[in-house]
Amino acid sequence: MKNRSANEAVAPDAALLLDTLPVPIMVMGKDDAILGVNNAAEMFFARSRALLCQEHLGTLLPADHPLFPLIAQVRRSGVMVTEHDVELTSPRFHHEDICVHACAVPEWPDRVMLVFQDFSSTRALDRQLTFRSAARSVSGMAAVLAHEVKNPLSGIRGAAQLLESSVSEADRELAVLIRDEADRIRALVERMEMFGEKPVGRRPVNIHQILEHVRKLAEKGFAAGIPIVERYDPSLPHVWVNRDELVQVLLNLVKNAAEAIVESGRSGTITLQTAYRQGVRLALPGSPERRHLPLVVTVRDTGPGIPEAIRPHLFEPFLTTKTSGSGLGLALAGKIINDHGGIIEVESRRGCTEVSLLLPVVTDAGRREREHGE
């Protein structure tokens, strides 16, 4: 056998290996004292290793949190136990859709290792596939409606107008009702037509100019009297979008935020935030290409939060909790962002809802390719 080099002969330090892992790991001692964490856990819990190792788990989480019986079960049985869909919340961090693996450390009976896996991004991508399917279904429905409904509606409306001038006063009210209902259905069909697949022109746009335009419209209209806070990263590159469509999406999101605050009956704020986030890539169906989505636009409100029962269905057409809503706003937003090659993430809890748009940015190579393609 060949002799190994000096570097190959030395096994790497276990703590160093743990620090290279991208998943948060925490080792618990007696009385749930925190004995050690890796680098990922520092970011996960938004505290330094030195501070975490001076605390007990009870200082991070409430006493009735499901992690405590999980740890107790591992200590009793000595086998690994997994808990899914765990929520970890404190003033400094908030994580949902967390899978926690707890296992005993054989050499030290009182110690338990916790491994935290965040599935929120995976589920967000799964939701995007649902949005795409929903958008395709609505696109087909829109085409059928436009062809099969709008033409007969025009005839019905014209006939109702003729009746208005020739029937008695008692029947005129019925003719007006027919005309008004025809107008209402036509307006709905026209909204559905926006889900069509016709191509739209795109160009490089400064995202902050769009947000400033949306803010001014909101403050003079539906969000009058509600403070709108701006937290922008001024160094962001341009995005390749259709300006009018992105304005429509952001106006709808800000309008939803304003309505949530008003319906809560309490004062609140809306925050518009931009950031550059590395590491988010989306695989395109039927293509080996993976699209980089580093630009994040977030609309945050301090309303009551989205009911948990409807969160998985937010972007389905015709789903709404508003008495006067059609349920097409978020479905249309999902389609537009998907058409732009981006994704939408929604995080909601009591007192805070965040809707984030993850968008591709314009690069020199990408600009040339898109301009040539369009």
Side-chain angles (χ1 to χ4, degrees), residues 186-201:
R186 183 181 182 87
L188 177 60
V189 171
E190 287 175 349
R191 287 197 69 189
M192 293 287 293
E193 280 189 299
M194 300 176 70
F195 286 88
E197 298 294 340
K198 62 181 179 180
V200 294

Side-chain angles (χ1 to χ4, degrees), residues 251-260 263 310 318-330:
L251 271 176
N252 185 70
L253 296 181
V254 175
K255 184 173 184 289
N256 287 346
E259 290 175 347
E263 291 175 5
I310 70 169
F318 305 110
L319 176 73
T320 180
T321 58
K322 304 173 187 176
T323 55
S324 59
S326 65
L328 291 176
L330 284 179

Side-chain angles (χ1 to χ4, degrees), residues 9 37-38 70 79 109 128-129 136 149 185 205 222 255 257 266 280 289 300 306 319 328 345 355 365 373:
V37 297
N38 66 347
L70 180 74
V79 300
Q128 293 308 307
L129 297 177
R136 283 194 295 268
V149 177
I185 296 172
V205 175
F222 52 79
K255 184 173 184 289
R266 295 178 295 180
V280 180
E289 179 186 354
R300 181 185 303 111
I306 301 170
L319 176 73
L328 291 176
E345 292 182 348
V355 182

Side-chain angles (χ1 to χ4, degrees), residues 236-291:
L236 293 181
H238 285 34
V239 289
W240 188 270
V241 296
N242 178 280
R243 180 186 181 279
D244 293 341
E245 286 192 342
L246 195 55
V247 166
Q248 180 182 358
V249 169
L250 288 167
L251 271 176
N252 185 70
L253 296 181
V254 175
K255 184 173 184 289
N256 287 346
E259 290 175 347
I261 291 173
V262 171
E263 291 175 5
S264 71
R266 295 178 295 180
S267 60
T269 59
I270 298 172
T271 301
L272 304 179
Q273 182 173 327
T274 61
Y276 194 88
R277 180 166 49 172
Q278 292 282 8
V280 180
R281 294 183 180 271
L282 177 65
L284 301 179
S287 169
E289 179 186 354
R290 299 183 69 85
R291 180 163 292 163

Side-chain angles (χ1 to χ4, degrees), residues 26 28 31-34 45 47 51-63 68 89-93:
M26 176 180 287
M28 314 298 306
D31 299 326
D32 294 334
I34 301 173
F45 290 104
R47 299 190 184 190
L51 288 176
L52 285 170
C53 291
Q54 294 175 7
E55 297 181 346
H56 289 68
L57 191 60
T59 63
L60 301 179
L61 301 172
F68 295 106
T89 301
S90 84
R92 302 192 65 169
F93 57 84

Side-chain angles (χ1 to χ4, degrees), residues 83-95:
E83 183 83 14
H84 295 277
D85 297 326
V86 177
E87 181 176 321
L88 303 168
T89 301
S90 84
R92 302 192 65 169
F93 57 84
H94 177 79
H95 303 289

